[in-house]
Amino acid sequence: MKRILCAFLAALTPACASAAEPQDEFWDFMRDEAANLTVASPIPESVFNSVSNVTVIDRAAIERYNFASVPEALQTVPGLTVLRTYLMHNIPTARGALQEHYANKILVMINNVAAWNVVTGEADLDRVPIESVERLEVLLGPASVLYGTNALTGAINIVLRESPRSGGGLIAGGLGSGAGGLGGGLDVSRAGGFYSWRDKDSSYTFSAGSRREEQPAIAFTDEAGDRLSLREYFGARIFNFTGRRGRSSVLLNAAASDQNYLGNALTRASGALFNQSKEMLLAAYSLDLEPAWGRLRLAASYDWQRRDIPRDAQDRLRSEIEGARLTGLADAILLLRGGFSLELGAASEYRNAARYRNYDSDTGAILDDNGMRGCAVREDSVHFQAGYDGETWRLLAGTRYTSDSATGDNVSSRASAIYKFDARNSLKAMFSQAFRSPTAFERHYKPPTLTVLGNPALTPERAETWELSYLVSRGRFFAHATVYRAAYRDTIFRKRGDFTRDGILYADVNHYANAAGYESTGAELKAQYAGRHLKSFLALERSRGGRGDEHAISAPGVFGLPGGSSWNFKFVPEYTLSGGVSAERGRFFAASNFNLFGRNRSLRAGLGTQFWADLSAGCAAGPARHVLAVRNLTGRAVQIPEHVRLRVVETLPLHAGRRLEYTFNYRF
Amino acid sequence: MTKLSLPLLLALAAAQVHATPPDTVVAVLSRGDGVYMEAFSAFQAAYGSDIPHYDLSHGRPALPPQARTVVAFGGRAADWPYPARVNLVYAMAPGLLLAPRSPGRTVKVSLLPGVPRILSRMREMQPALKKLTIFWTAPRYDALMAETQAAAAALGIEVSLRKISGPEALPGVLRGEMGRMDAFWLPPDPLLVNQDNLRILREFSWSNGIPFYGSTRGMTREGAVASLGVTFRGVGEAAAALVRRLEAGETPPPILYPEAEELTLNASAARRCAIRFPGGLVERAAFLFP
């Protein structure tokens, strides 16, 4: 009776409660034992059973390797590289299938809600600060049955973080070396945090953050021969809200970002060095019902984006690009007897590419609408999937039919079979297809200078992949190996030549066209070791592609340089290798991770291997954590081929010099 | 005075004999603190002498040549490649079931006080219990599950076993079990027992009035109606008794379920699930969370 009384009193008084019930020790114990039973791996065991090729980077890995941003974390996924074009930073690229100017071949989602610019199609990896990320889920390979358009070569889902307890949260901040490199002063590189509140029926999390990354300035010679001091910078300000009450969920993401721009023609005359800004708003609501027969999800989302870019040497002429998507969907999963399930869904999306107009930034006068005023499209789709989940086999097959008011119909399918040797050892065979509808920009753009013309006759580009994956964990080791063969059809790219639009013949002009496509084969390997104090990973990708999309770049070009031959895989490194190691002892920890791109080529020259590495060390003092990091440890500029314009500039900088950053966070 | 002194001197002498480290028994801990140390301390106290122990988080254990029995606390310590000649008594390794070794014996001290007793307690709290679902994930729970089915059949309880393939599968499995169970039980499965899953289970239990039975005090605190488990101290004491039996030449079963049980109750959870604790049960409970 005394013990009961003590427990009762303990529950009433927090101090006594903690003495009576060392709850933290209980969770430590469960975590320790889970680590012994699994692989002590940050990868949850769902990857063994997932019917797709999924890689997960969880919160523990983000903190362990001190990733500074979502793109930096994603760079360590085998088969995924984060590149740039001269128009955009942080463009995810899967299995060597290069993006054009815009990152519109990989779907990016926040809490499973797709977010992309309806005018040009690009997603944005910087809409969530790394401090607010709970988990990054990367699906490599075509995924239109699940997600519809834009999941052509893969999908990335950014899962937002919540505190496990009511009233909990985090405050984070950082100081980083700026454009002056280590010799310059320190600027605030990040600030933010989140706060969660919950009771038995509802939970809410607010997060806000800002990030600013400035790389040391480097010299850059533009197409006009002008030598520029190029200052690579990126900054974002973000607000997130997630709420759940009963069976309803709400997501709100608002973000604004700034980044340096290299012009639409890599010259100061076309706006290089001036600021490019973005504003984005995503609002989503979902109702998850749980009838006796399974699950029913009704959801709606609104995604608005605006981009503003410079277009001349005085920053007077600018372009404003704005559009929105409104999506509604219903998805039902029927749980049948014997491990069978059936999923049926329908979605409808209204896309309004409101404008891509040039304006005078001094007067606000509209100068041209580039043939793009109110380009609206409606897309409807239905999909179904049938699955079986048994003790040793998991099977799934499905298809999606899409009707696009502008580009017609598409049918994409998938089929997967998993053989589970045991809970930590599985073999997967997968076939998947996907499509990407051409964007309003690719179909309608028509600027007065005819830099590139949209093509209303474009058809969706398509992809299909055959994959075989083996996942195994033994003791503290985990390995995931994949081989695949991929085919890309009707690839949308920029082509130079005679082009007829609206009955007018344009001679030797840049325009969008569907290419014949190409094929590739590749292998990916990820290996992890998770000891108590030491953890490490290695991610290797090697891919080879055909030359089905090869086309000639005429010579001499407008700059008198020799021409050449261009195809997608010409600009893809022979291999990519990433790795990391982290160690902790008591309150102290240290980590290092690296990335290596094997040799590749630009249009006219060979490009050697590119290597960069980060090093960080820190200590935890109670709820506070302090980390000092050196980014791009060697200080060497990291170059990648310029693969879009193919005129004069052979390479673009991915990273400039060395940077130093101190960060801290405080949990409450 | 003389009458009192003699037994006292004899007792002191006996204690002195026991205090000599019997190097034939050594302990290995996955980690030399927290609950592992709590269980080891209880083991040492119950065994009656100082036992050399090794903290696996600080390095490899160097067993003395004369070691005959290793007592391992924690899964990592249990899974260590000990020489086949030594007896291995392992505890606090939920979800782990080691293969028999020879010539040494391998015996597990369970974190549960025996399935028949657990089911009897559930029936005591919920006399109408007919259908019980058990959720589990760890690969080596098959033996426990088979034993549970046999014990449940004797009580007229129909048991369904639902293996949860991954964290994301839990809500779907719970929905699938709606209407098919009167209650559900969660064994101390480290792959399943985490704060998020317990929250899901609690919300499901409380909102649907389906009693959730746990297996540790921690689960009761997180919202289970009741848990019947063994304290870490009880585990240590049971391990000590087991070592004594091995030293006496006995052949214990491969899994030992400690006699000392810890019953914990949660009044809020019981109210949500329309469970009324019998008076005697409350008296026997080690903790009653309001």
Side-chain angles (χ1 to χ4, degrees), chain A residues 12-321:
Chain A
L12 292 177
T13 54
C16 182
S18 60
E21 176 70 9
Q23 194 72 353
D24 289 345
E25 288 194 349
F26 171 72
W27 296 123
D28 286 347
F29 170 58
M30 281 295 167
R31 271 194 293 273
D32 282 352
E33 296 309 311
N36 186 66
L37 286 177
T38 61
V39 283
S41 162
I43 295 185
E45 65 172 353
S46 58
V47 297
F48 290 90
N49 295 331
S50 170
V51 287
S52 300
N53 199 335
V54 173
T55 300
V56 175
I57 300 173
D58 71 355
R59 185 72 224 160
I62 290 169
E63 291 186 1
R64 185 179 306 132
Y65 296 106
N66 193 32
F67 294 129
S69 62
V70 170
E72 189 178 307
L74 292 173
Q75 195 75 268
T76 63
V77 175
L80 190 80
T81 49
V82 182
L83 305 176
R84 65 161 301 175
T85 63
Y86 52 90
L87 284 187
M88 296 270 174
H89 289 80
N90 296 334
I91 294 182
T93 303
R95 293 178 169 167
L98 295 172
Q99 306 264 15
E100 209 243 7
H101 270 321
Y102 306 103
N104 49 25
K105 296 181 183 180
I106 293 184
L107 191 71
V108 175
M109 298 172 284
I110 302 172
N111 278 7
N112 278 312
V113 181
W116 50 276
N117 187 309
V118 73
V119 181
T120 44
E122 80 273 12
D124 195 309
L125 292 176
D126 294 283
R127 293 181 70 157
V128 179
I130 196 77
E131 293 83 7
S132 299
V133 175
E134 177 61 36
R135 198 167 67 247
L136 298 170
E137 300 167 345
V138 181
L139 188 160
L140 288 179
S144 282
V145 176
L146 288 172
Y147 305 118
T149 184
N150 285 31
L152 186 76
T153 60
I156 296 165
N157 185 30
I158 303 171
V159 180
L160 296 176
R161 194 176 176 189
E162 296 176 11
S163 173
R165 61 185 186 82
S166 186
L170 175 123
I171 296 170
L175 297 170
S177 61
L182 298 186
L186 291 176
D187 297 321
V188 175
S189 59
R190 64 188 63 221
F194 71 93
Y195 174 79
S196 292
W197 176 87
R198 66 178 67 204
D199 64 13
K200 73 180 179 61
D201 291 326
S202 50
S203 68
Y204 306 99
T205 296
F206 300 88
S207 69
S210 72
R211 178 168 82 89
R212 184 158 186 90
E213 179 183 306
E214 292 217 28
Q215 302 203 26
I218 58 170
F220 181 81
T221 305
D222 73 8
E223 290 185 2
D226 291 340
R227 198 158 172 79
L228 313 175
S229 175
L230 177 61
R231 192 168 63 94
E232 287 274 273
Y233 67 87
F234 181 88
R237 301 162 300 285
I238 298 144
F239 171 80
N240 287 308
F241 169 75
T242 54
R244 272 193 295 274
R245 185 172 179 82
R247 303 192 185 284
S248 297
S249 308
V250 173
L251 164 71
L252 190 66
N253 169 269
S257 69
D258 296 292
Q259 57 185 299
N260 64 295
Y261 186 68
L262 284 176
N264 59 14
L266 282 169
T267 61
R268 197 195 297 262
S270 68
L273 304 188
F274 290 115
N275 187 60
Q276 171 180 197
S277 66
K278 283 187 189 178
E279 291 154 18
M280 296 158 278
L281 176 69
L282 177 67
Y285 169 81
S286 71
L287 178 65
D288 291 277
L289 301 173
E290 297 172 356
W293 44 263
R295 196 191 79 182
L296 176 64
R297 181 163 195 256
L298 305 170
S301 65
Y302 175 75
D303 182 17
W304 171 86
Q305 305 208 10
R306 179 179 177 276
R307 194 156 63 88
D308 192 278
I309 57 173
R311 298 192 76 94
D312 68 3
Q314 291 77 40
D315 199 22
R316 183 164 181 181
L317 177 64
R318 294 185 71 92
S319 288
E320 180 193 35
I321 301 143

Side-chain angles (χ1 to χ4, degrees), chain B residues 132-145:
Chain B
L132 177 72
T133 298
I134 302 174
F135 298 115
W136 58 294
T137 293
R140 296 303 178 87
Y141 263 114
D142 310 55
L144 175 69
M145 295 302 131

Side-chain angles (χ1 to χ4, degrees), chain A residues 3-4 7 11 20-21 23 26-27 29 32-34 36-38 45-46 49 198 200 290 476 532-533, chain B residues 31 36 57 75-76 92 137 165 168 175 190-191 195 198-199 216-217 221-222 272 282 285-287 290:
Chain A
R3 281 180 299 178
I4 295 171
E21 176 70 9
Q23 194 72 353
F26 171 72
W27 296 123
F29 170 58
D32 282 352
E33 296 309 311
N36 186 66
L37 286 177
T38 61
E45 65 172 353
S46 58
N49 295 331
R198 66 178 67 204
K200 73 180 179 61
E290 297 172 356
R476 295 186 173 275
R532 174 171 295 281
H533 300 296
Chain B
R31 200 151 45 84
Y36 302 103
S57 66
R76 189 164 170 247
M92 301 177 69
T137 293
S165 56
E168 79 293 342
R175 281 190 295 276
L191 296 184
Q195 282 158 307
L198 288 190
R199 183 171 52 80
T216 66
R217 187 197 314 167
R221 184 181 175 118
E222 292 296 315
R272 300 271 189 150
V282 176
F287 284 87

Side-chain angles (χ1 to χ4, degrees), chain B residues 150-172:
Chain B
L155 289 169
I157 299 174
E158 185 187 326
V159 170
S160 302
L161 308 175
R162 289 288 174 265
K163 187 166 185 179
I164 310 294
S165 56
E168 79 293 342
L170 183 59

Side-chain angles (χ1 to χ4, degrees), chain B residues 210-282:
Chain B
I210 299 174
F212 159 29
Y213 296 106
S215 49
T216 66
R217 187 197 314 167
M219 293 188 202
T220 311
R221 184 181 175 118
E222 292 296 315
V225 166
S227 294
L228 192 68
V230 181
T231 62
F232 298 117
R233 177 180 177 161
V235 166
E237 290 168 350
L242 188 57
V243 172
R244 289 289 186 210
R245 287 173 64 185
L246 285 169
E247 288 172 343
E250 287 186 35
T251 306
I255 302 177
L256 177 84
Y257 296 104
E259 287 295 321
E261 62 182 40
E262 183 189 54
L263 175 67
T264 51
L265 306 172
N266 185 320
S268 301
R271 200 166 48 250
R272 300 271 189 150
C273 300
I275 295 282
R276 292 177 65 86
F277 296 128
L281 200 72
V282 176

